[in-house]
Amino acid sequence: MTGAPRATDARDVSDATVVATDLSKWFGQKVAVSEVNCSFGPGVTGLLGPNGAGKTTLLRVLAGLLSPSAGKAAILGRNPKRHHSVYRHVGFVPEDEAVYNHMSARRFVEWSAALSKVEDAKSAAQRALDTVHLGEDADRALLGFSKGMRQRAKVAAALVHDPQVLILDEPLNGTDPVQRARLIDLFVQLGGEGRTIIVSSHVLAEVDRMATRVVAMVNGRLAAAGSVSALRDAMSDTPRLIRIDTDRPRRLARRLLAGNWVESVRVDPAGIEIRTSDAGALGHDIAVAARETDSVVTAVSAEDDSLESVFRYLVEQR
Amino acid sequence: MRAFFLITRSVTGRLLGLRRSIGLFVLTGSIAPLLLVLAPGRSSEWMATFYNDITVGLGFSILFPVAALVVSTAALGEERKSHTLPFLLLKPVSRWAISLGVITAAALASFVILGAGVIASWTAAAVVTGDWSIGVSTAVAAAVQSVASAALFVPLGLVVGRAAVAGLGYLLIWEVTLGNVIEGIQASSIYRIVVSAWADLAALTPDNLETVTEVLGRVEVGVGGAVAKAAALAIISVIVTGWLLKHRDLVPE
């Protein structure tokens, strides 16, 4: 039995706004995306994967910039390649740094608003620029902008028509820590408002901070989808590292070793680190063992519940 | 309609960037200094004949088409190369409106750049010949050139990586070389369409007439026919470009 989680997306499709069905995309002999089934709904979803995993290709197919070689992509129930009216509800931030250098930030965002059929494009542009903290630099030419400022201008252009779906391909590239934190807060806020926010990244810590759900890709395939903890739980036969803070670590460790779900134990003066193949069973046994050994347990935490560990695991499985 | 104007305006602005405009004006305006240098000691009739000959032999065959080629291939080619196409394509705008807007922008920008060169040579020719109507036909032909070139080279820029080089190959091999020896392809030659419009309006000397007849081959002189052909090319191009925008993958893997 393999420990890899099922490469399908278990999201309830009833609230899905962006759906990939048996989606494949190849360029000549090179398969960039292979038979991906996944869906995205309200909230922030992180699209994770190492460089070359197929994230950008998947986003471009979903957005209608590329035609699928097989399968289907749909936004709000429609194929964006055929029904361009759907773009009224979609904002897209491409991975590339390029912008229209001959325009000012304000003109770029106003132009995007006007083409997206926003009635008062000027006001909408001002709001979007203020949202990404570019209000003061709005009249400067994009040519003179730093990479981070260009990213924010692109985000403003994607937001200006108040879209229901935002597809963001590495939107934090080139931003400084303050800008990054602000953008993450913005995406979390937009997701909280019920919009579908898809953010691709290979920086796990960023996704960990903003996404409630992740879709992981490896080698063009969907490796996993779900909440971080659900993904971790799905890796049921992979030993998990659990830390127990207690006043009697040696006694408690000796007692817990009696359970056949404990693979190894490391004891330190403040507690125990246990590698277990069944975190659920261990969780139940901790309380019993603590009572039996008269130990006081002050904290129990999963040491490897981060996206980093999940992702490392997924890559190794592939 | 609003989208069409927005796209036309923004693409025209980009195509008329300062460096490109100056560079191409140097090309299209290069006939003017030649006229001024050659004028001393020569009759106005000789200068008028020379102006007409050099306009057909150098302006319409190389200078104007190359300038229009550079502008037109950049209209969508630059967007593709610089990865800005998503900003244009991911909008609730029909691909036909985008196609029409971009081709109109390419024709307008080409006409501005060719027009600047035409005005320079027109002014120089008028000064040395005393005939201020001498450049009217060239201006009309430049408009035909702009529309026809935009029609041909905007879609080329969308699908071919080195579209300017490919277009230059087309001009030199198809239009200039093969067009001179294969009569069957002359009717579809942009060079000859442009010259047929120009010849209908220009005051030609017998020497000029000989040159024009040699260039046109089986193509009839007539500004109406030339305008109709350029318009037909533009309509076909809007359809082809719209189809390409709708069906082709326009961003790299």
Side-chain angles (χ1 to χ4, degrees):
Chain A
M1 176 184 162
T2 172
R6 284 191 316 127
T8 55
D9 182 1
R11 164 180 274 280
D12 177 5
V13 292
S14 63
D15 69 343
T17 48
V18 181
V19 179
T21 310
D22 296 328
L23 189 70
S24 296
K25 180 66 187 176
W26 52 81
F27 301 96
Q29 297 292 312
K30 183 185 166 192
V31 178
V33 172
S34 179
E35 295 173 349
V36 166
N37 284 288
C38 64
S39 55
F40 304 85
V44 180
T45 302
L47 180 60
L48 278 171
N51 288 329
K55 304 186 298 292
T56 293
T57 302
L58 176 63
L59 292 184
R60 286 174 174 173
V61 175
L62 289 175
L65 281 170
L66 295 172
S67 299
S69 304
K72 289 180 195 167
I75 298 181
L76 302 171
R78 294 183 151 202
N79 175 358
K81 198 83 178 148
R82 288 189 181 171
H83 301 279
H84 304 115
S85 59
V86 83
Y87 292 130
R88 200 181 290 225
H89 311 289
V90 179
F92 182 80
V93 173
E95 178 191 26
D96 308 290
E97 195 187 330
V99 284
Y100 289 124
N101 286 326
H102 65 291
M103 291 186 184
S104 68
R106 185 185 306 284
R107 208 176 137 216
F108 174 53
V109 179
E110 278 181 13
W111 180 81
S112 288
L115 275 184
S116 299
K117 306 189 192 293
V118 173
E119 286 206 1
D120 188 354
K122 281 184 189 297
S123 305
Q126 185 62 55
R127 277 196 302 278
L129 287 161
D130 289 339
T131 300
V132 298
H133 303 275
L134 271 181
E136 288 182 8
D137 296 298
D139 294 310
R140 283 176 53 197
L142 288 166
L143 182 64
F145 271 25
S146 68
K147 192 174 177 182
M149 292 169 81
R150 286 171 185 224
Q151 287 292 79
R152 285 187 285 151
K154 281 157 49 182
V155 171
L159 278 177
V160 71
H161 55 295
D162 200 19
Q164 192 179 339
V165 175
L166 257 181
I167 300 174
L168 312 160
D169 195 357
E170 305 271 4
L172 304 176
N173 272 0
T175 53
D176 64 37
V178 175
Q179 294 165 357
R180 192 171 301 145
R182 284 175 172 169
L183 285 175
I184 287 173
D185 289 346
L186 174 64
F187 301 150
V188 170
Q189 180 202 324
L190 292 169
E193 290 169 2
R195 296 171 214 269
T196 299
I197 315 289
I198 307 171
V199 188
S200 85
S201 178
H202 59 276
V203 181
L204 303 169
E206 289 172 357
V207 175
D208 213 1
R209 286 174 61 194
M210 65 180 132
T212 51
R213 190 169 165 273
V214 293
V215 169
M217 290 188 72
V218 179
N219 295 332
R221 288 179 172 274
L222 184 71
S227 68
V228 178
S229 57
L231 289 184
R232 194 64 187 77
D233 289 342
M235 293 179 259
S236 53
D237 68 341
T238 304
R240 295 185 67 178
L241 191 61
I242 307 292
R243 177 166 181 84
I244 304 165
D245 292 336
T246 177
D247 60 337
R248 294 181 171 177
R250 289 191 179 280
R251 286 179 71 173
L252 186 60
R254 203 160 39 239
R255 163 62 184 79
L256 288 172
L257 272 170
N260 60 5
W261 43 81
V262 174
E263 296 199 347
S264 66
V265 174
R266 194 175 69 80
V267 178
D268 60 54
I272 318 163
E273 280 184 0
I274 295 179
R275 194 165 288 280
T276 175
S277 57
D278 190 339
L282 175 66
H284 284 109
D285 200 29
I286 288 172
V288 177
R291 200 164 48 242
E292 288 175 6
T293 57
D294 203 19
S295 305
V296 177
V297 174
T298 52
V300 178
S301 56
E303 292 292 282
D304 58 352
D305 212 18
S306 67
L307 271 176
E308 187 77 52
S309 65
V310 172
F311 194 63
R312 192 183 305 117
Y313 170 78
L314 292 171
V315 172
E316 283 165 5
Q317 288 299 312
R318 295 275 161 180
Chain B
M1 208 57 179
R2 188 186 180 203
F4 163 74
F5 285 118
L6 283 164
I7 292 166
T8 301
R9 191 178 148 199
S10 71
V11 176
T12 306
R14 174 170 57 78
L15 292 175
L16 291 176
L18 195 62
R19 279 171 58 188
R20 177 169 22 228
S21 297
I22 290 173
L24 293 178
F25 173 68
V26 169
L27 190 71
T28 58
S30 59
I31 291 174
L34 269 178
L35 293 169
L36 296 174
V37 167
L38 290 172
R42 291 192 165 85
S43 69
S44 59
E45 289 76 19
W46 191 94
M47 288 307 299
T49 302
F50 179 76
Y51 170 74
N52 287 337
D53 272 349
I54 201 168
T55 298
V56 173
L58 184 64
F60 294 145
S61 71
I62 298 291
L63 302 182
F64 291 1
V66 167
L69 163 74
V70 169
V71 173
S72 298
T73 51
L76 282 172
E78 238 171 41
E79 297 243 23
R80 199 170 55 86
K81 278 183 201 157
S82 62
H83 307 289
T84 53
L85 262 181
F87 300 127
L88 186 62
L89 295 180
L90 301 190
K91 295 287 186 290
V93 176
S94 84
R95 307 299 99 160
W96 312 118
I98 295 175
S99 166
L100 182 63
V102 172
I103 289 168
T104 305
L108 278 175
S110 294
F111 185 62
V112 168
I113 286 168
L114 300 192
V118 167
I119 288 170
S121 62
W122 181 349
T123 306
V127 167
V128 299
T129 64
D131 177 8
W132 284 90
S133 68
I134 195 166
V136 172
S137 54
T138 313
V140 171
V144 173
Q145 172 88 66
S146 301
V147 173
S149 294
L152 196 63
F153 298 128
V154 167
L156 186 73
L158 186 60
V159 294
V160 177
R162 293 175 179 268
V165 175
L168 198 59
Y170 163 81
L171 290 176
L172 295 176
I173 295 169
W174 187 265
E175 293 268 343
V176 176
T177 310
L178 295 179
N180 280 334
V181 292
I182 304 172
E183 287 188 344
I185 65 173
Q186 289 175 345
S188 62
S189 155
I190 292 178
Y191 174 40
R192 286 161 186 85
I193 292 171
V194 170
V195 172
S196 74
W198 175 84
D200 198 17
L201 301 172
L204 301 177
T205 64
D207 283 348
N208 294 146
L209 204 55
E210 194 177 319
T211 306
V212 166
T213 307
E214 197 176 302
V215 166
L216 288 181
R218 292 168 64 181
V219 177
E220 294 286 324
V221 169
V223 67
V227 169
K229 282 181 186 174
L233 274 176
I235 290 167
I236 293 167
S237 181
V238 168
I239 294 167
V240 169
T241 307
W243 187 90
L244 290 169
L245 289 172
K246 194 165 187 173
H247 295 284
R248 268 185 70 102
D249 287 346
L250 298 169
V251 291
E253 61 184 89

